[in-house]
């Protein structure tokens, strides 16, 4: 039986991080977690990490698609936070962001990691950006690295 499993170390990987400015008080922590994981665990150098800021989560799919289309990156990590409010706005932004990123991922040969928080409250967002529930930015970065290695192993 042959088993393919990825590892997270990818020292030569070129990684782009697309991150939303809206809710940056949360997203900054996601970014710190992602960069820390890339450098410390993935052994990726600063020179191989590109950070692209966009206005909000709704704009992430277009930016991620543009990044994947350049063929300059081995993976793209999307980071953002959508917090439920008192209107239907949450459903539109969170839903379109998620489906847009999924569409880019399915139509690209470049791994796209989903690090967008969709929470009921600011407290939940804070918990997922580095406190009680870990750092989802770091988790997305590690997912990107593992997928780079899984795809290489599949092609080998």
């Amino acid at each position: 039986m042959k088993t393919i499993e990825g590892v997270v170390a990818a020292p030569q990987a070129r990684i782009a991080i697309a991150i939303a400015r809206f809710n940056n008080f949360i997203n900054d922590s996601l970014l710190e977690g992602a960069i820390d994981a890339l450098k410390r665990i993935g052994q990726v150098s600063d020179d191989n990490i590109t950070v692209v800021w966009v206005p909000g989560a709704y704009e992430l799919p277009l930016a991620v698609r543009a990044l994947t289309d350049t063929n300059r990156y081995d993976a793209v990590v999307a980071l953002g936070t959508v917090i439920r409010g008192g209107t239907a706005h949450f459903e539109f932004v969170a839903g379109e962001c998620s489906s847009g990123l999924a569409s880019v991922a399915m139509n690209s040969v470049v791994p796209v990691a989903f690090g967008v928080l969709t929470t009921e409250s600011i407290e939940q967002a804070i918990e997922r950006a580095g406190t009680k529930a870990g750092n989802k930015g770091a988790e997305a970065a590690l997912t990107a690295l593992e997928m780079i290695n899984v795809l290489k192993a599949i092609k080998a």
Side-chain angles (χ1 to χ4, degrees):
M1 173 175 75
K2 182 171 182 158
T3 301
I4 296 175
E5 292 182 299
V7 295
V8 293
Q12 303 304 317
R14 298 162 300 150
I15 308 295
I17 300 172
I19 182 168
R21 272 195 318 272
F22 195 81
N23 288 324
N24 73 300
F25 67 100
I26 299 292
N27 299 342
D28 289 346
S29 294
L30 295 174
L31 179 61
E32 287 175 23
I35 291 172
D36 178 62
L38 290 172
K39 291 167 63 173
R40 192 171 45 81
I41 300 169
Q43 303 168 11
V44 179
S45 71
D46 276 333
D47 292 340
N48 285 0
I49 301 171
T50 301
V51 177
V52 177
W53 289 90
V54 300
Y58 188 83
E59 290 76 28
L60 284 170
L62 177 59
V64 170
R65 178 171 177 189
L67 289 163
T68 61
D69 286 350
T70 68
N71 294 316
R72 285 188 229 147
Y73 303 101
D74 298 305
V76 180
V77 178
L79 301 177
T81 303
V82 186
I83 301 169
R84 186 178 300 279
T87 68
H89 184 73
F90 172 88
E91 280 81 14
F92 294 117
V93 174
E96 292 305 316
C97 175
S98 176
S99 64
L101 290 171
S103 176
V104 173
M106 292 302 298
N107 292 299
S108 172
V109 294
V110 176
V112 174
F114 187 84
V116 179
L117 302 179
T118 53
T119 64
E120 296 293 322
S121 66
I122 291 171
E123 293 77 22
Q124 282 182 350
I126 291 168
E127 287 175 2
R128 287 162 177 76
T131 61
K132 292 180 187 176
N135 187 304
K136 300 306 178 189
E139 290 177 20
L142 295 175
T143 296
L145 294 174
E146 185 172 347
M147 285 305 297
I148 289 168
N149 290 321
V150 165
L151 292 176
K152 279 183 187 176
I154 290 170
K155 293 174 187 174

